[in-house]
Amino acid sequence: GNSVTQMEGPVTLSEEAFLTINCTYTATGYPSLFWYVQYPGEGLQLLLKATKADDKGSNKGFEATYRKETTSFHLEKGSVQVSDSAVYFCALTIIQGAQKLVFGQGTRLTINP
Amino acid sequence: NAGVTQTPKFQVLKTGQSMTLQCAQDMNHEYMSWYRQDPGMGLRLIHYSVGAGITDQGEVPNGYNVSRSTTEDFPLRLLSAAPSQTSVYFCASSPDLAGAQETQYFGPGTRLLVL
């Protein structure tokens, strides 16, 4: 089946630290991959996406590369800020009649000043 | 342009009560969907719609009904609420019903507590 597995949280880092949140997937066919972010008290919003193998998505200093050989889409940022504290969701889309998002369980990130 | 709006923000129900969670979008998107978010489980798809008059079940449809009479609105109905339906509910929309590359736009969520 189709599934997404994310690094267990919560993750706590100091400001300016390097961030990696691991994400691996299982899918039939060639899904598109996404990272969504949920800030406290808000809905989810798209952070970045990649639609084919070796594509790199980037936004707000975050990056993730679609690795078909390792079925991974790890999220990275070189220097995190307090404002990056949020819950991060890795997801893939599949087409079964219509577009469906399959989410990982989410990783809560807290950045301390 | 309000995007995706949801009402109410928070609701408390007693077991067996019914209610409707409202969702509306003003982006003329064909595709709309409902998810529930539970701790440690990410978001799971409840129902979705690919256009007015067309709905289908997602991963966890039991206990929920939907209808899509207009492009803009996609209400979610709980006919007889159960404590297991305590969750945060998100509505989402997307412009392209068949496009795997398309971003989905999420509403702010409705927090539901069933006692």
Side-chain angles (χ1 to χ4, degrees), chain A residues 37-57:
Chain A
V37 58
Q38 184 180 28
Y39 296 105
E42 299 182 11
L44 280 73
Q45 55 187 273
L46 179 69
L47 180 61
L48 54 84
K49 68 180 182 182
T51 58
K52 60 183 187 296
D54 300 325
D55 266 3
K56 178 185 283 188

Side-chain angles (χ1 to χ4, degrees), chain B residues 3 15 17 19 23 28-29 35-36 40 44 52 55 60 62 69-71 79 81 84 86 91 94 96 98 101 105:
Chain B
T15 296
Q17 286 185 317
M19 80 160 293
C23 174
N28 202 32
H29 287 173
Y35 294 86
R36 58 178 289 173
R44 293 179 292 168
T55 63
V60 288
N62 292 340
S69 56
T70 67
T71 299
L79 296 179
S84 60
T86 293
C91 179
S94 175
D96 185 349
Q101 303 176 16
Y105 297 84

